[in-house]
């Protein structure tokens, strides 16, 4: 197989959740630029409408729909609508996620970081914990389930989950629910990969680095896993270290050589493959 064929996704149907900004939008744009027919899903209806229109003016085959990944029934309908519109579903990026708020220390580095009572375990509310778990883990589960329902009969597909270095490395400056959800999503990815391998469906994950892909400027807003700036795609493409890896990560995750990449993590910091 030639290299160009290995990463050819022209005409394939793709869905990206949390595609209204940041990493999700950059991935959606990279897929569309490579010829895929992409459905962008995000809880922010205005952002989805604006970004979908922008991508269409570039000549890309894209459509968008507002959906909260916590509404599993609505997410299932959005997947069905994407298949009805594009005729097939080959690629799904389960990317939607939210910030978990402050952790139990202030600042990202240094030995003198002060304790933060707002992020302490005893002040961590059920509402805050449940919201992060519902979006960052439950939303991934719902997206993978919807994709499996549609991909199993066709016996093919590529699933990619956005996790984080927080899946295996605790960062006390961010709320503990974030680490718990991302670790759960990473292990869920492995379980789903084992189940779906018999159906020629690969499952991988992209590691998001907190210092490169900042969380939303609106903590608690579902559907955004990256910088919440209107010009994020252009800023991402202009030189953030992780952003330079997005196009190749997107293509690597949907490579036609499943045996090479199944159950791997793709590092957004530099595009490395890790077992």
């Amino acid at each position: 197989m030639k290299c160009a064929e290995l990463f050819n996704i022209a005409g394939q149907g793709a869905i990206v959740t949390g595609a209204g900004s940041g990493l999700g939008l950059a991935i959606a744009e990279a897929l569309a630029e490579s010829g895929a027919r992409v459905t962008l899903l995000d809880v922010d209806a205005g952002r989805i409408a604006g970004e979908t229109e922008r991508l269409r003016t570039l000549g890309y085959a894209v459509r968008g729909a507002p959906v909260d990944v916590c509404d599993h029934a609505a997410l299932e309908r959005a997947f069905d609508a994407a298949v009805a519109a594009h005729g097939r579903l080959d690629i799904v990026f389960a990317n939607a996620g939210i910030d978990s708020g402050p952790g139990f220390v202030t600042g990202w580095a240094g030995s003198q970081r002060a304790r933060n009572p707002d992020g302490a375990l005893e002040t961590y509310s059920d509402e805050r914990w449940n919201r992060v778990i519902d979006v960052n883990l439950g939303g991934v589960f719902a997206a993978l389930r919807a994709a499996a329902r549609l991909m199993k009969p066709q016996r093919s597909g590529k699933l990619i989950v956005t996790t984080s270095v927080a899946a295996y490395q605790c960062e006390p400056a961010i709320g503990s629910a974030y680490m718990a959800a991302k670790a759960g999503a990473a292990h869920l990815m492995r379980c789903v990969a084992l189940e779906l391998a018999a159906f020629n469906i690969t499952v991988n994950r992209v590691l998001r680095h907190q210092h490169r892909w900042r969380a939303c400027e609106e903590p608690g807003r579902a559907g955004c896993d990256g910088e919440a700036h209107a010009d994020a795609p252009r800023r991402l493409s202009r030189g953030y270290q992780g952003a330079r890896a997005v196009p190749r990560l997107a293509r690597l995750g949907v490579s036609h050589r499943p045996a090479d990449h199944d159950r791997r993590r793709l590092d957004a910091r530099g595009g490395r493959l890790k077992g």
Side-chain angles (χ1 to χ4, degrees), residues 75-126:
L75 189 63
E76 292 275 353
R77 292 192 296 270
F79 271 60
D80 288 338
V83 173
H86 291 151
R88 57 190 292 170
L89 180 61
D90 305 282
I91 302 162
V92 171
F93 273 83
N95 169 76
I98 59 172
D99 181 23
S100 61
F104 66 87
V105 299
T106 60
W108 288 94
S111 60
Q112 303 300 317
R113 291 186 287 179
R115 291 273 175 165
N116 180 10
D118 291 337
L121 181 60
E122 64 271 21
T123 61
Y124 218 108
S125 69
D126 289 345

Side-chain angles (χ1 to χ4, degrees), residues 62-83:
V62 299
R63 56 183 298 277
V67 65
D68 187 335
V69 294
C70 293
D71 187 341
H72 295 184
L75 189 63
E76 292 275 353
R77 292 192 296 270
F79 271 60
D80 288 338
V83 173

Side-chain angles (χ1 to χ4, degrees), residues 144 184-197 203 263:
L144 294 179
H187 206 54
L188 174 63
M189 179 275 296
R190 299 185 189 99
C191 294
V192 173
L194 289 172
E195 177 182 349
L196 300 185
V203 190
R263 300 188 301 278

Side-chain angles (χ1 to χ4, degrees), residues 93-181:
F93 273 83
N95 169 76
I98 59 172
D99 181 23
S100 61
F104 66 87
V105 299
T106 60
W108 288 94
S111 60
Q112 303 300 317
R113 291 186 287 179
R115 291 273 175 165
N116 180 10
D118 291 337
L121 181 60
E122 64 271 21
T123 61
Y124 218 108
S125 69
D126 289 345
E127 291 77 15
R128 179 182 170 195
W129 175 271
N130 290 337
R131 180 59 177 163
V132 175
I133 297 297
D134 286 348
V135 175
N136 292 9
L137 180 55
V140 169
F141 159 74
L144 294 179
R145 181 177 62 181
R149 173 175 60 85
L150 296 164
M151 289 178 172
K152 271 188 174 183
Q154 68 191 27
R155 302 188 68 85
S156 66
K158 311 291 181 185
L159 305 178
I160 301 92
V161 177
T162 299
T163 60
S164 170
V165 293
Y168 60 88
Q169 175 180 307
C170 291
E171 174 46 66
I174 58 178
S176 57
Y178 189 85
M179 271 76 71

